C-alpha cells in the first residue's frame, strides 16, 4: 500500500499510531481489502485499507524485536487457490507427464495404473530413469505444435524433467503451473530501509530541481548513502535498473515537468483533489476567492481598462457565469475572444 508520505508496509503484528493511540494489526484479509486493529485494551476494530491509507494522523511504530526497523511486508505464498479450474487441469496434465517419466505411471504409483500402463519405453522394470527422460523429451518434440503450446509442453526437455524430479503433490502442480498465471510478487530484496530512505530523499530533492535523468538520480542516491550511512556496503546498493523499476513502481513514470509535479504535490497536501465539472444550467458554484483579471469598458467603443474580479459565489445560467454583481463571464468557446455585440454598462468581458 502506498500513501503520500511514501510506502506503507502492513503485516500482522505491525504497530501503528492513529491519532496518538497505539494499535496493532492482528489480522489482514487481503481478499476483502480489510484488516483488524487491536488497541492496548484488547478492543478490536475492522477497517478498510482505504481508510488506513488516507488517515491524516498515521505513524508507524518500531517493533519490539528490532527498535527503529519496521517489519518487512510478509509475502503470500502461491497456492492452487490462485489458479482457475482450467489452469489447474493444465498443470495436472503436465504433472502426469513428469510422473510417468519418474515412475512409469501417470498417476505416480502402480496401484493407480491406468489401462495400458506402463507404456512401452516407460516400464520401470525394463528402462532406467535416464532412458525414460530421453523418451519423454522425444515424445514432446514429436507432439503437434498447437497441442504442445496449449498444454505448455513445447519446452519440456530432459533438463526440465530432471529439475522437476523429487516433487510430488501440490508442490509438483505449482512447479508445473505457468508463473505468468499468478501475480508477480512485489518488492525487491535489495531495497532495505536505508535504501528506501535514500530513494525518498532523492525524490524530495528532485522536486526542487529541474528535470534530472535516471542516471543523475541514481548518483544522488549513492551520494546520500555515502553521507547518511557510511558503513553501508556499496555493493549492496541497488543497480540503476533496479532503481528504475522501484522508482516507476512507487512514483509512476514521472513524465511531468518538475514545476507541475510541485504544484500537484502542493494541491495534494492541501487536500485539493479532482476537478469541478459544470454540467447543467442553474448549478450553484462555490468558487475560491481567486482574483481574475478582466477587461472593462464603459461604452462599446470605449477604451478597455484592466481590472481584477473576485468570484466568491456564482450560478451558471445558460452559457454565462453570473456573479454576485452585474458582471458576467462567458464559459463557451468565446472565452478567450472579446464579444463583438454591444456590451451593457458594467459588463465584464474575458480577456
Amino acid at each position: 500500500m502506498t500513501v503520500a508520505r511514501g510506502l506503507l508496509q502492513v503485516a500482522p503484528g505491525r504497530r501503528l499510531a492513529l491519532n496518538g493511540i497505539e494499535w496493532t494489526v492482528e489480522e489482514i484479509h487481503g481478499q476483502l481489502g480489510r484488516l483488524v486493529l487491536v488497541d492496548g485494551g484488547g478492543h478490536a476494530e475492522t477497517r478498510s485499507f482505504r481508510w488506513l491509507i488516507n488517515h491524516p494522523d498515521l505513524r508507524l511504530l518500531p517493533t519490539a524485536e528490532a527498535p527503529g526497523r519496521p517489519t518487512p511486508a510478509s509475502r503470500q505464498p502461491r497456492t492452487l487457490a490462485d489458479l482457475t479450474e482450467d489452469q489447474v487441469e493444465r498443470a495436472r496434465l503436465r504433472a502426469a507427464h513428469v510422473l510417468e517419466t519418474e515412475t512409469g505411471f501417470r498417476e505416480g504409483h502402480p496401484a493407480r495404473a491406468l489401462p495400458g500402463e506402463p507404456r512401452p519405453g516407460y516400464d520401470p522394470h525394463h528402462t532406467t530413469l535416464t532412458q525414460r527422460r530421453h523418451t519423454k523429451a522425444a515424445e514432446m518434440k514429436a507432439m503437434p505444435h498447437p497441442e504442445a503450446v496449449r498444454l505448455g509442453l513445447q519446452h519440456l526437455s530432459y533438463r526440465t524433467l530432471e529439475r522437476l524430479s523429487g516433487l510430488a503433490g501440490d508442490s509438483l502442480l505449482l512447479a508445473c503451473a505457468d508463473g505468468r498465471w499468478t501475480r508477480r510478487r512485489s518488492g525487491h530484496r535489495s531495497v532495505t530501509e536505508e535504501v528506501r530512505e535514500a530513494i525518498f530523499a532523492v525524490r524530495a530533492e528532485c522536486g526542487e530541481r529541474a528535470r534530472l535523468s535516471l542516471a543523475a538520480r541514481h548518483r544522488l542516491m549513492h551520494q546520500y548513502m555515502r553521507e547518511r550511512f557510511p558503513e553501508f556496503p556499496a555493493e549492496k546498493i541497488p543497480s540503476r535498473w533496479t532503481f528504475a523499476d522501484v522508482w516507476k513502481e512507487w512514483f509512476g513514470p514521472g513524465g511531468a515537468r518538475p514545476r507541475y509535479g510541485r504544484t500537484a504535490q502542493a494541491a495534494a497536501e492541501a487536500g485539493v483533489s479532482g476537478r469541478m465539472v459544470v454540467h447543467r444550467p442553474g448549478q450553484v458554484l462555490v468558487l475560491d476567492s481567486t482574483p481574475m483579471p478582466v477587461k472593462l469598458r464603459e461604452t462599446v467603443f470605449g477604451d478597455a481598462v484592466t481590472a481584477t474580479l473576485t468570484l466568491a459565489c456564482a450560478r451558471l445560467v445558460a452559457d454565462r457565469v453570473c456573479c454576485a454583481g452585474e458582471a458576467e463571464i462567458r464559459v463557451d468557446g468565446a472565452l478567450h475572444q472579446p464579444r463583438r455585440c454591444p456590451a451593457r454598462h458594467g459588463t465584464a468581458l474575458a480577456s
Side-chain angles (χ1 to χ4, degrees):
M1 293 184 288
T2 58
V3 295
R5 297 178 287 273
L7 186 68
L8 176 62
Q9 295 188 349
V10 176
R14 193 70 164 93
R15 297 170 58 239
L16 310 171
L18 303 173
N19 295 327
I21 302 177
E22 181 179 339
W23 296 80
T24 303
V25 180
E26 184 176 9
E27 298 178 2
I28 293 181
H29 305 285
Q31 71 277 14
L32 302 177
R34 295 182 176 276
L35 70 164
V36 179
L37 301 176
V38 179
D39 61 3
H43 175 68
E45 291 189 6
T46 303
R47 297 292 184 176
S48 64
F49 292 159
R50 183 186 298 271
W51 177 87
L52 182 64
I53 292 174
N54 297 294
H55 197 282
D57 188 11
L58 168 63
R59 291 186 299 107
L60 302 179
L61 301 178
T63 59
E65 293 78 9
R69 304 243 345 187
T71 302
S74 59
R75 295 175 180 267
Q76 179 180 355
R78 187 176 60 165
T79 62
L80 294 179
D82 300 327
L83 306 178
T84 63
E85 295 181 1
D86 179 67
Q87 293 171 349
V88 172
E89 184 63 26
R90 292 163 64 183
R92 291 187 186 279
L93 292 176
R94 299 177 187 179
H97 287 281
V98 177
L99 292 176
E100 185 179 22
T101 304
E102 296 295 320
T103 63
F105 304 91
R106 296 177 67 89
E107 294 294 334
H109 196 275
R112 296 189 296 270
L114 299 177
E117 289 186 342
R119 295 191 300 164
Y122 297 98
D123 191 346
H125 297 290
H126 300 87
T127 59
T128 63
L129 179 59
T130 301
Q131 292 175 343
R132 293 195 297 271
R133 287 174 179 172
H134 283 293
T135 303
K136 180 61 69 175
E139 179 184 349
M140 295 299 102
K141 187 175 295 185
M143 181 180 294
H145 185 69
E147 181 179 353
V149 172
R150 171 59 181 169
L151 299 177
L153 300 173
Q154 71 276 20
H155 301 300
L156 188 62
S157 62
Y158 176 87
R159 291 187 177 273
T160 304
L161 294 171
E162 190 177 20
R163 178 174 55 86
L164 295 176
S165 62
L167 298 178
D170 293 349
S171 300
L172 179 59
L173 290 179
L174 291 175
C176 293
D178 195 332
R180 294 170 295 183
W181 292 347
T182 55
R183 177 182 178 272
R184 185 180 62 179
R185 296 191 303 176
S186 60
H188 300 269
R189 295 183 179 180
S190 59
V191 180
T192 61
E193 292 300 321
E194 295 83 359
V195 175
R196 188 187 309 277
E197 179 182 339
I199 292 177
F200 280 104
V202 170
R203 182 170 183 262
E205 180 68 19
C206 293
E208 304 297 332
R209 297 190 180 189
R211 181 177 296 180
L212 295 178
S213 64
L214 177 65
R217 284 176 283 179
H218 188 252
R219 287 194 297 269
L220 284 177
M221 185 187 68
H222 272 266
Q223 181 180 356
Y224 184 90
M225 293 293 295
R226 287 195 302 267
E227 296 178 357
R228 183 70 173 80
F229 308 103
E231 302 298 331
F232 193 87
E235 61 274 7
K236 292 187 178 181
I237 300 178
S239 64
R240 182 189 303 181
W241 312 119
T242 304
F243 175 77
D245 293 341
V246 172
W247 190 280
K248 187 175 181 180
E249 291 175 5
W250 292 1
F251 312 123
R257 294 186 177 182
R259 59 177 180 178
Y260 298 150
R262 291 192 293 267
T263 303
Q265 183 178 0
E269 293 176 355
V272 179
S273 60
R275 59 182 178 179
M276 180 182 62
V277 179
V278 179
H279 57 85
R280 62 177 179 83
Q283 181 180 359
V284 178
L285 309 178
V286 180
L287 306 178
D288 190 8
S289 301
T290 303
M292 178 180 297
V294 296
K295 294 289 186 180
L296 299 177
R297 56 186 178 184
E298 295 183 358
T299 60
V300 177
F301 302 99
D303 296 333
V305 180
T306 303
T308 301
L309 179 64
T310 302
L311 302 179
C313 182
R315 182 171 59 90
L316 180 66
V317 180
D319 61 346
R320 297 175 177 84
V321 177
C322 297
C323 306
E326 294 292 336
E328 63 180 17
I329 301 175
R330 293 186 61 85
V331 295
D332 57 1
L335 178 62
H336 302 288
Q337 299 179 359
R339 292 167 52 188
R340 297 184 178 180
C341 60
R344 296 178 299 170
H345 179 73
T347 299
L349 300 181
S351 57

